[in-house]
Amino acid sequence: MRETKHPGEFLHQYLIERKRATVESVAATMNLETLSLQAFIDGRLRVDADFARKLHSATGVSEAFWLNMQSKYDKSRESR
């Protein structure tokens, strides 16, 4: 199985690169510290149910999508 992108990388590409949002503005929308969101983007934090809700509120993308993406990422890492 090939390695999939960490959900943080997807968020970075979607919001930061395509929508021209800043990490600071997205973190504020999610009610997070900027450093926490940056750690997620860098792949150092996982998506859990609470984080998935915050991602949904910031992006409009379903909580299930974020949780599924995390699960797929985890499985791709296990098979290495």
Side-chain angles (χ1 to χ4, degrees):
M1 175 184 276
R2 71 179 183 87
E3 187 173 335
T4 59
K5 291 181 185 180
H6 183 275
E9 186 178 345
F10 178 82
L11 178 71
H12 184 263
Q13 289 177 333
Y14 176 74
L15 284 178
I16 312 302
E17 294 176 6
R18 290 187 185 155
K19 301 291 184 181
R20 305 278 187 219
T22 65
V23 173
E24 294 82 4
S25 67
V26 176
T29 300
M30 293 176 68
N31 198 28
L32 290 175
E33 294 290 327
T34 301
L35 290 176
S36 295
L37 184 58
Q38 188 62 56
F40 174 69
I41 289 169
D42 294 341
R44 297 188 319 258
L45 292 179
R46 298 183 76 254
V47 175
D48 60 14
D50 181 55
F51 205 80
R53 279 191 293 280
K54 290 178 181 186
L55 287 164
H56 170 68
S57 70
T59 64
V61 177
S62 75
E63 295 169 31
F65 172 87
W66 294 107
L67 291 166
N68 187 44
M69 182 175 263
Q70 182 68 57
S71 176
K72 286 181 179 181
Y73 174 78
D74 293 344
K75 286 177 184 173
S76 76
R77 304 279 297 169
E78 290 171 4
S79 65
R80 293 172 103 194

